[in-house]
Amino acid sequence: DVQLTESGGGSVQAGGSLRLSCTISGFPLDDTSMGWYRLAPGNPGNECELIAQISSGGSTHYVDSVKDRFTIARDNAKNMVYLQMNSLKPEDTAMYFCAAGPPGVIPLRPDKYNFWGQGTQVTVSS
């Protein structure tokens, strides 16, 4: 079975750092695009935001709100994907999900990612 499991979330003060990990099982990572989404709390109309992507070849793409603060990386040998988050802000508070999608040129459309983990909570206090 395909399974994605996130870890590394927690509570941190503004300006701090966290490193999220995503363990993938059930398929090889080599020909897979990977992404990190987040869902902010509170507003039921919020949509999951695709914030970082990494292609099978290692190219990366970020939304402007996390560019220069977050870094996505992958280790195909370990079937792991990471999201290093630095200079965290209260507005980064969200549930973070990793997701797997088809190989291709990134950025992929958000609806292309079709396997998701259960998420890990990140809370940033001011």
Side-chain angles (χ1 to χ4, degrees), residues 37-41 90-96 120-124:
Y37 290 75
R38 68 184 179 186
L39 180 63
E91 52 263 43
D92 295 318
T93 295
M95 183 72 79
Y96 284 73
T120 186
Q121 177 67 38
V122 171
T123 302
V124 185

Side-chain angles (χ1 to χ4, degrees), residues 14-29:
S17 298
L18 283 173
R19 187 196 196 205
L20 306 184
S21 299
C22 177
T23 304
I24 298 98
S25 61
F27 62 92
L29 198 55

Side-chain angles (χ1 to χ4, degrees), residues 23-74:
T23 304
I24 298 98
S25 61
F27 62 92
L29 198 55
D30 306 61
D31 290 325
T32 304
S33 299
M34 295 297 299
W36 283 95
Y37 290 75
R38 68 184 179 186
L39 180 63
N43 187 345
N46 277 353
E47 294 183 356
C48 263
E49 180 185 21
L50 178 55
I51 60 169
Q53 302 182 56
I54 186 165
S55 71
S56 56
S59 299
T60 58
H61 181 270
Y62 303 92
V63 294
D64 287 345
S65 60
V66 307
K67 199 175 294 182
D68 299 325
R69 298 189 299 123
F70 291 10
T71 303
I72 188 171
R74 63 193 296 155

